[in-house]
Amino acid sequence: GISLLNPDSVAANVTIEVYRADGTRVEKLDLTIDPKKRVTELLTELFPSLKGQDWISGYLRVTADRGISAFALFGTHNLTALSAIPPQIVR
């Protein structure tokens, strides 16, 4: 799952991209987060084509035209393992 927060007073334009481990982009989503609002979804809700796929490697790339806060979790479907992705500050 992923949660994105726009703490600003202006809307933020955000792009979320899903990549395989070899760097091949498989999904891309552009969205706008209104001021003082958040988007919190499972990746399969944002990208329905990922539903039912078992990934053991790959990565996400989130870009925005202004500062946002982000948090992500990953794990198994039955929740026997769950881990947070540490925040990264990009300037």
Side-chain angles (χ1 to χ4, degrees):
I2 189 167
S3 184
L4 306 170
L5 169 70
N6 177 10
D8 207 340
S9 59
V10 179
N13 297 305
V14 178
T15 300
I16 305 170
E17 298 169 290
V18 179
Y19 291 87
R20 294 191 188 285
D22 66 3
T24 304
R25 187 176 75 193
V26 295
E27 288 287 351
K28 178 183 175 190
L29 176 66
D30 294 312
L31 55 100
T32 300
I33 304 175
D34 291 330
K36 310 289 185 198
K37 299 292 181 182
R38 72 170 185 241
V39 172
T40 302
E41 302 285 347
L42 295 173
L43 288 178
T44 53
E45 293 170 332
L46 294 172
F47 304 104
S49 67
L50 298 179
K51 193 166 188 148
Q53 295 185 30
D54 288 325
W55 285 47
I56 56 170
S57 62
Y59 60 97
L60 299 174
R61 181 175 179 210
V62 178
T63 55
D65 65 350
R66 61 188 55 258
I68 63 169
S69 296
F71 180 77
L73 292 170
F74 67 97
T76 59
H77 291 287
N78 64 5
L79 301 179
T80 57
L82 189 64
S83 183
I85 299 173
Q88 299 177 23
I89 298 173
V90 179
R91 297 188 198 273

